[in-house]
Amino acid sequence: PSPIYVSDDICHKPANMIPTLELHILWSLVYWTSFLLTNIAIPYLTTYVTTAQFTMKERVIATMKENAIIYSLMVVVGTITLVVFAIKEDMSFNHVLGVVIALSNAVALAGLMLFMGYGIANLPRTFWRRANVKMMLRWYRFQTVSMHDTLQEEEAKMKKTLRKLKTMDESMPRSNPLRKYVEVLLEQVKRDENMYIYYNKIERGMMEQFVAKFRNPTYATIVKIRKRYTDQHYLYKRAFVLYHNHLSDSFLYENLVESPTAQAVEARGTLVGCCNPCASEWKDLNNSLEGRVPYVFCCCSCVCSANTASSRGFNYLYYYYKLYIEVLFLRLLAIISCIASLAIVWSELVIWSTDMDGVPNLNVIARSLEHTGALTPLQQEIVVLLVLSYMAWCTFHGLFQLR
């Protein structure tokens, strides 16, 4: 084939160029694999692992029932669309396949725009806010209180479900054929030590309101209780982890804010025995942490039993890193990401502008890529990859905000 000329220079074949046939096969394999995983396999498996039936056959049937509405809606909308196109145009199988691909891409691009639009605006703001230590302290305090309330609510729901299970366990005779399913559910409860301890402490007076309903439970009732316990246990563990993470971060930022100089920072491994007056208050609020909080700095000049030269040295370095180096780094990231976000938004707004028909090209990213002619093809691909990586970062930043 004849060479392609761009700006009077020959565009040589890149070393990593893939032949057309192999590229088509690779693209088809990757696209249809991701299509099937995204629309069929992953939704099916996600529902399967959350079902509460006790046999594989029942779990498969329950999964198909739960996904039947979504799949039916997809089939109906897709069928109507294909019929309309088939009536208006003489469509072959390849045309129909193209319509299916176009519909799938349209839905994916809609979700992509929503998440990336949120991430482009929120990512620079997140970096800038995290550079403000006092603001982060206020935020973690608020989140700690909020997650503590959530944790108590989820724990109350869990205990209510356990009382129902205890009622079934004590009311159901050993000869009942459904007894084996209750035993399976009890084994699931034993995996959480705290919940199992509470289960053993449940007294008969706490079960009176459930005796009439759960004395002779059906199989559907046992499945419903297992489903409820599984879902509530997941929400409880999530609230538990988030609460303790926010609590630990609150300790950290509070001590950073209350330690104005490095000389006032003394390492301590535990809160127990420290002469800092705030330590006992935190200890009372956080008995479940057994008094240990990572990266905590003493505000006083006491020397706790855990203080050593190496631990004090590490705390000095960590103090300066959190209060100065990390702050500067986050602000630099905020400025860079803000510029990148503005460039992406501006380039999307002026994507219609080109150098043709006398209209100047106002696309910042396109202009930047045009001035990379001195770079090798691999280096140009790296530049493009950096732009796409930032857009992907913004997209996943928006996606991970969902719970």
Side-chain angles (χ1 to χ4, degrees):
S2 59
I4 301 175
Y5 288 89
V6 179
S7 302
D8 297 329
D9 294 329
I10 296 179
C11 182
H12 297 282
K13 178 180 177 180
N16 58 348
M17 182 176 179
I18 302 176
T20 304
L21 179 60
E22 285 79 354
L23 181 61
H24 177 74
I25 295 174
L26 181 62
W27 179 88
S28 300
L29 180 64
V30 172
Y31 179 85
W32 288 111
T33 301
S34 61
F35 180 87
L36 294 175
L37 288 174
T38 304
N39 296 282
I40 298 178
I42 294 179
Y44 178 85
L45 294 175
T46 302
T47 308
Y48 180 85
V49 298
T50 58
T51 54
Q53 280 70 18
F54 292 91
T55 63
M56 181 180 295
K57 179 180 178 181
E58 292 173 342
R59 298 183 73 176
V60 170
I61 295 175
T63 302
M64 295 179 65
K65 288 181 179 179
E66 291 190 25
N67 289 306
I69 298 177
I70 299 177
Y71 291 146
S72 300
L73 182 62
M74 293 172 58
V75 170
V76 170
V77 174
T79 302
I80 294 175
T81 305
L82 293 177
V83 169
V84 171
F85 276 96
I87 293 175
K88 292 185 176 181
E89 300 288 343
D90 185 15
M91 300 179 64
S92 62
F93 176 75
N94 290 332
H95 292 155
V96 174
L97 201 60
V99 172
V100 173
I101 294 175
L103 291 175
S104 175
N105 290 341
V107 175
L109 287 174
L112 178 66
M113 288 188 295
L114 290 174
F115 290 120
M116 187 174 67
Y118 174 82
I120 283 177
N122 192 63
L123 189 61
R125 182 173 56 185
T126 300
F127 287 139
W128 189 263
R129 287 179 174 178
R130 290 187 66 86
N132 190 328
V133 178
K134 293 183 179 180
M135 179 182 292
M136 291 304 299
L137 173 59
R138 293 194 298 269
W139 186 84
Y140 278 120
R141 280 175 171 173
F142 173 80
Q143 290 296 324
T144 300
V145 175
S146 176
M147 290 310 304
H148 183 266
D149 295 340
T150 303
L151 179 62
Q152 288 184 327
E153 293 176 2
E154 298 300 334
E155 186 177 5
K157 294 178 182 178
M158 280 276 296
K159 291 180 177 180
K160 183 177 180 180
T161 303
L162 289 176
R163 291 197 296 271
K164 295 178 180 179
L165 176 59
K166 182 84 169 187
T167 304
M168 288 193 301
D169 182 23
E170 295 192 353
S171 302
M172 182 180 292
R174 298 291 176 180
S175 58
N176 194 316
L178 299 178
R179 179 71 192 183
K180 58 182 180 180
Y181 301 120
V182 177
E183 296 294 338
V184 172
L185 185 51
L186 289 176
E187 290 296 326
Q188 185 175 345
V189 175
K190 291 179 181 179
R191 298 172 191 169
D192 191 320
E193 183 179 356
N194 293 330
M195 290 298 103
Y196 189 62
I197 291 175
Y198 173 80
Y199 179 84
N200 291 327
K201 292 181 179 179
I202 298 177
E203 300 177 356
R204 184 169 297 275
M206 305 168 63
M207 302 183 291
E208 292 180 353
Q209 57 179 325
F210 307 117
V211 172
K213 185 176 181 180
F214 296 97
R215 177 173 298 178
N216 296 309
T218 61
Y219 177 76
T221 303
I222 299 176
V223 170
K224 184 178 180 180
I225 291 296
R226 188 187 186 192
K227 173 67 175 176
R228 185 174 301 172
Y229 174 80
T230 303
D231 294 342
Q232 291 174 352
H233 186 263
Y234 166 76
L235 295 175
Y236 168 77
K237 295 299 291 185
R238 185 184 70 174
F240 181 86
V241 172
L242 289 175
Y243 165 68
H244 285 81
N245 287 344
H246 290 323
L247 185 61
S248 297
D249 290 330
S250 298
F251 280 119
L252 170 62
Y253 279 96
E254 183 177 80
N255 282 272
L256 286 174
V257 171
E258 293 180 355
S259 301
T261 60
Q263 288 75 18
V265 179
E266 292 291 340
R268 80 170 178 270
T270 63
L271 293 175
V272 180
C274 180
C275 63
N276 184 4
C278 64
S280 59
E281 299 175 5
W282 278 110
K283 181 65 172 60
D284 293 337
L285 293 175
N286 190 40
N287 292 325
S288 58
L289 282 184
E290 298 179 356
R292 297 191 63 84
V293 179
Y295 308 125
V296 176
F297 306 99
C298 255
C299 305
C300 53
S301 58
C302 67
V303 180
C304 300
S305 59
N307 279 353
T308 61
S310 59
S311 64
R312 286 195 298 270
F314 171 79
N315 277 267
Y316 288 136
L317 294 177
Y318 192 78
Y319 174 82
Y320 279 115
Y321 167 75
K322 293 293 293 184
L323 211 55
Y324 299 104
I325 300 176
E326 186 182 60
V327 169
L328 294 176
F329 179 70
L330 289 174
R331 286 179 178 172
L332 179 62
L333 278 180
I335 295 173
I336 295 175
S337 60
C338 184
I339 295 173
S341 296
L342 291 175
I344 291 174
V345 174
W346 175 257
S347 299
E348 290 178 350
L349 292 175
V350 299
I351 196 172
W352 49 268
S353 65
T354 61
D355 288 327
M356 302 175 62
D357 301 328
V359 180
N361 190 351
L362 303 176
N363 193 317
V364 178
I365 297 178
R367 282 291 189 182
S368 302
L369 294 176
E370 288 177 359
H371 291 81
T372 58
L375 302 178
T376 63
L378 179 60
Q379 292 172 338
Q380 293 178 357
E381 291 176 0
I382 293 176
V383 173
V384 175
L385 179 63
L386 291 176
V387 177
L388 294 177
S389 298
Y390 179 74
M391 297 173 67
W393 189 1
C394 293
T395 303
F396 283 103
H397 175 76
L399 179 63
F400 291 154
Q401 298 300 312
L402 299 177
R403 290 183 183 176

